[in-house]
Amino acid sequence: MKLLFFFLIVCLPPARIFADEAWYESNSIGSPLRPVEAWETGGLEYTLHTKSQDGKQTRTLFDAEEAEVRRWERLYAEAGFLEEETVYIEGVPDSRTLYYPSGLVKEEVLFTDGREDGRFLFAYPAGEPDKKAPPFSVSFLRPDDGGFRDEYQYLPSGDFRGIKRIYEDGAVYTSVFTTEKSVLREEWHSFGNLEILFRYDKQGNLRSSEEYRDGVLVERSGFRYDTEESFRLREKITWDIATGGEIRLEYGEDGNPLRESLFEEGSRVSVTLFTYKDNLLVRKEKRQRSGREEWVYLHDEDKKIVREDYLRDGETETILFYDPQPEYTRVEEYYRNGELFLRLYFSDGEEVKREIAGEER
């Protein structure tokens, strides 16, 4: 129903949809649910008022307090097609869209706090844009002349192949995708001197990845899955080409990391164990020749970390508190031989106060 409603308001002239002026019971997205009289609007959660005159249609959405929530102002050509639409949120411009006669978007202007923040310019293959024609490129421009241009690539069959983003400063970001029977098999991304290649299996699971810098392979990863129908990820192995190091990450039945092992020259030098509760990481333990490290996490009702304890060989060294008080965003406590000796207070990443144990506050 939503798609049909959108098609009608974009492709048909206003006289074929609404009367010159009317009221409707509506919802939060401004759909005309049923016609009502003006005197019936009181008590409704949302009401929609429409007015059409001289090729202009205005649709205004009100809440139960009769405050304007959103307004759509549409301009139609004499032939009946939509030329322009401006959207207002609580009376402030939010976006303006210009259309070709075919209904394809020609230009979209974005606003922030009512002022123009940037605009998208859509370019299509030569000739009059067809309703089914995908854009050849999209340019994004800001009022200060900054922005980028996206160029789309297509196969001879018309299927999407990739995208190239070109910034004003000359930086280029490219992504190319390869599919087989509508299943993604490879994707390649280029960011300056960095290139990343992903390969997928027939089920669409990530099979391997390769990272190149200046054209030289620096890292490769492989992924192992269950052979059963669920095809759950079981293991990820990453090789550092330069050092020969290997990281093996194993996953548990719940899909969360279970164990991470680091190998150097074929020998395991460390192992990290992960403990989850209700799908939240509550403990991480790293064992190596130099000793044992632990991280213990405490979450609030919103599943955000509010406390992090760090222990070495079973002895507390630091405790971090996140958003402990309105005036502080983080508090750090440092311990020596199990005793607190320093407390630091931070606000938005900047230290604003420190306390040394034994000194007067």
Side-chain angles (χ1 to χ4, degrees):
M1 280 298 293
K2 293 179 180 178
L3 291 177
L4 176 60
F5 174 70
F6 178 80
F7 173 81
L8 290 173
I9 61 178
V10 170
C11 300
L12 297 180
R16 296 178 60 183
I17 308 172
F18 300 112
D20 290 342
E21 188 169 3
W23 286 92
Y24 298 84
E25 181 180 4
S26 188
N27 52 23
S28 60
I29 64 174
S31 302
L33 300 180
R34 68 179 181 89
V36 296
E37 298 296 334
W39 55 268
E40 294 182 286
T41 59
L44 296 178
E45 185 176 6
Y46 291 101
T47 54
L48 179 70
H49 177 258
T50 69
K51 184 176 181 180
S52 300
Q53 185 177 7
D54 300 328
K56 179 180 180 180
Q57 178 197 93
T58 301
R59 300 169 58 247
T60 309
L61 179 67
F62 297 94
D63 61 18
E65 275 68 46
E66 300 184 359
E68 180 180 311
V69 178
R70 190 180 295 261
R71 184 170 80 251
W72 298 263
E73 293 185 356
R74 297 188 172 105
L75 298 179
Y76 289 83
E78 292 184 4
F81 63 84
L82 178 62
E83 285 187 314
E84 180 180 325
E85 178 188 56
T86 303
V87 179
Y88 298 82
I89 296 181
E90 296 181 352
V92 179
D94 180 69
S95 67
R96 179 178 295 120
T97 307
L98 284 71
Y99 296 89
Y100 286 104
S102 62
L104 294 174
V105 176
K106 178 191 300 183
E107 181 177 335
E108 183 177 5
V109 184
L110 305 179
F111 297 88
T112 299
D113 298 327
R115 295 187 298 178
E116 182 180 332
D117 187 44
R119 59 180 59 205
F120 289 94
L121 305 177
F122 296 79
Y124 298 86
E128 181 70 18
D130 182 80
K131 290 184 179 181
K132 297 181 181 180
F136 171 76
S137 69
V138 178
S139 300
F140 179 74
L141 304 176
R142 291 190 180 277
D144 59 0
D145 296 330
F148 58 83
R149 183 177 78 256
D150 285 339
E151 295 183 351
Y152 300 94
Q153 304 172 22
Y154 298 91
L155 297 172
S157 62
D159 294 332
F160 178 71
R161 171 61 168 158
I163 184 173
K164 177 187 291 186
R165 173 164 293 186
I166 306 171
Y167 283 90
E168 292 291 329
D169 61 4
V172 178
Y173 298 83
T174 304
S175 296
V176 177
F177 305 89
T178 301
T179 59
E180 181 180 309
K181 296 181 179 179
S182 301
V183 176
L184 180 64
R185 298 305 302 270
E186 288 186 2
E187 58 178 298
W188 174 79
H189 304 274
S190 173
F191 314 94
N193 70 332
L194 173 65
E195 299 175 59
I196 301 178
L197 174 65
F198 299 98
R199 293 189 175 92
Y200 299 85
D201 60 22
K202 294 182 179 180
Q203 284 74 38
N205 295 317
L206 181 60
R207 180 167 56 90
S208 65
S209 66
E210 297 176 356
E211 180 178 320
Y212 296 80
R213 292 189 181 273
D214 296 318
V216 178
L217 178 64
V218 296
E219 184 178 285
R220 177 188 289 119
S221 296
F223 301 82
R224 182 176 64 83
Y225 298 84
D226 275 339
T227 56
E228 301 298 328
E229 187 176 351
S230 62
F231 302 109
R232 182 185 292 111
L233 176 62
R234 283 299 191 182
E235 187 178 53
K236 174 186 177 182
I237 303 177
T238 301
W239 296 273
D240 187 312
I241 305 304
T243 65
E246 176 184 319
I247 298 177
R248 184 172 299 171
L249 181 59
E250 302 171 61
Y251 293 83
E253 295 291 335
D254 57 4
N256 292 312
L258 180 66
R259 180 186 295 105
E260 182 181 76
S261 302
L262 173 61
F263 295 84
E264 294 180 358
E265 298 180 351
S267 299
R268 187 167 66 180
V269 296
S270 72
V271 60
T272 303
L273 305 176
F274 303 88
T275 302
Y276 285 79
K277 183 178 181 181
D278 297 329
N279 214 35
L280 297 174
L281 178 64
V282 295
R283 186 171 179 269
K284 182 172 68 173
E285 179 184 357
K286 183 176 183 179
R287 301 173 183 174
Q288 51 193 346
R289 295 173 183 173
S290 60
R292 179 167 56 93
E293 297 177 276
E294 294 176 77
W295 293 262
V296 181
Y297 304 95
L298 180 66
H299 302 77
D300 61 13
E301 295 179 354
D302 297 325
K303 301 182 179 181
K304 295 174 56 179
I305 296 178
V306 294
R307 173 171 169 165
E308 175 184 340
D309 292 33
Y310 170 71
L311 302 86
R312 182 181 290 273
D313 294 327
E315 192 170 279
T316 299
E317 290 199 352
T318 62
I319 299 179
L320 307 183
F321 300 91
Y322 299 96
D323 292 323
Q325 301 176 27
E327 65 268 33
Y328 305 118
T329 55
R330 188 174 80 252
V331 174
E332 300 180 356
E333 292 185 347
Y334 293 85
Y335 293 78
R336 183 186 295 127
N337 299 324
E339 297 291 334
L340 173 67
F341 73 91
L342 177 64
R343 183 181 287 117
L344 304 179
Y345 297 82
F346 294 83
S347 179
D348 296 326
E350 181 179 351
E351 182 184 333
V352 295
K353 178 182 176 182
R354 65 169 50 198
E355 295 176 347
I356 299 176
E359 293 186 356
E360 293 185 3
R361 299 184 181 181

